Amino acid sequence: MELGPAGLLPAFFVPAQDALMTTAADTGTLKTDRRAVLSWALFDWAAQPFFTLVTTFVFAPYFAASLASTPAEGQALWGYATAAAGLGIALSAPVLGSIADATGRRKRWILLFSIPFLICCSALWYAAPGGAHSITIALVAFAIGTLSIEVATVFNNAMMPSLVPAAKIGRLSSFGWAMGYVSGLVTLVIALGFFAASPETGRTLLGFEPVFGLDAATREGDRAVGPFSVVWFIVFAIPMFLFVPDAPKRAKIGVAVRKGLSDLGESLAQARANRNIFLFLLSNMIFKDGLVALFAFGGIYSAGQLGWGSIEIGTFGIILTITGTLGLLLGGPMDDRFGAKLVILFCLIVLMICGLGMISVDKTTVFFVIKSEPAPEGSLFASLPEQVFIVLGAIIGAVSGPLQASCRSLLIRLAPHEHMTQYFGLLALSGKVTSFLAPLAVGIVTAITANQATGMSVILVFFFVGLVLLTMVKEKRAG
């Protein structure tokens, strides 16, 4: 990516004569400096620890291993909480987006949903092993926290068209995702290196004793990622509230509620009538289901097929975060040059190829037929299957970020700007409303066949169907 004079920000973040001039049909000419753009992207940086540490690599495995009676029960309960959050997002995000479009203000909604998010992250500390209500605390806090931060993100996304010219939206979207990936990497290293320790050794991934006297036996390091996410969010979300310009006020809340609900009905009708938007949302719904399942079962699959423990899975997560960040650095310019649709199509093809490769790997086999000796006991990634799995996973990480970032920019190119928050709500709806289907399909097929690889192969079907639908979408490119 081309860099500006400071060597830190993409060149389009460095404004000509200290300001970028952006034209928007509904607001006229807006002046946005690079401080506002960077502050907007810092919201992704601020929110990411929840997704990386709580949802995927630290708290979720702790919940399944130490709170639930069995890992299988833990996976099921975590899945129910995820589904509940997804249903809440599906029901609320489009309605709230419509109301926010009617009022014109977005930041007040971000603040409103940030408060329960922070409370829920703090509550995770109290989900201690053996506690009478620990499972309930963990599941409720996770579900409400997920709902809150996802809805807040809808409003943050909707501010994008006022920050850069339309031709730069792809780069801006990728920059936001890249900030999130880097934040995930940094916080994952901090959590695994200084907080979360093995109960057996009392040492962290870097071989240290946990900081602040955190007790490894009661898994305080794993639980500390909740409060840590609170501090991280507060510190890095503040610039967005201070420096990103909000849309002007358009209507009072009572009028906005009535108008917003009315507009939502109209936007649903328009989405059905607009072939491009309808096909894109349908495609997004299906391949996002597959992506949800891929990340939900990735750690479980690697543990079962390769025998990986927390150190291997944590290291693998760091590798995926690094390649995801690098992928986003290339994905933004490719989005602006070739269009978001082509980027998404390319990423889906790569996901299918690498996904097929990953289900061909187990402890002693690569690509279904190539046999290999298992890794020596105590070695890290020493066997051929492990190395192939890491390479394929790294490639998946590299395309997953650009895939999601380009979904944002493609929607902006397809949807009317005066209803942008509303359509981002519909995007969130399409990405969440059926998010239980792919995990459910994986679980059913795995149970029927008693084979992890066969169960995971279902995910490839979701990617393929989403790709076919996306080929029918016509993208409107900025000049």
Side-chain angles (χ1 to χ4, degrees), residues 302 306 308 311-321 323 354 357-358 361 366-367 379-398:
S302 62
L306 298 172
W308 284 357
I311 291 179
E312 291 87 353
I313 293 174
T315 305
F316 185 55
I318 292 173
I319 293 172
L320 262 64
T321 305
T323 60
C354 291
M358 292 184 81
V361 174
V366 177
F367 304 134
S379 59
L380 184 64
F381 306 144
S383 71
L384 177 63
E386 288 179 307
Q387 294 164 2
V388 170
F389 194 87
I390 288 174
V391 170
L392 293 172
I395 296 173
I396 286 176

Side-chain angles (χ1 to χ4, degrees), residues 446-466:
T446 302
I448 292 173
T449 63
N451 186 284
Q452 280 188 288
T454 304
M456 289 289 285
S457 67
V458 175
I459 296 174
L460 304 182
V461 178
F462 282 81
F463 289 148
F464 177 75
V465 174

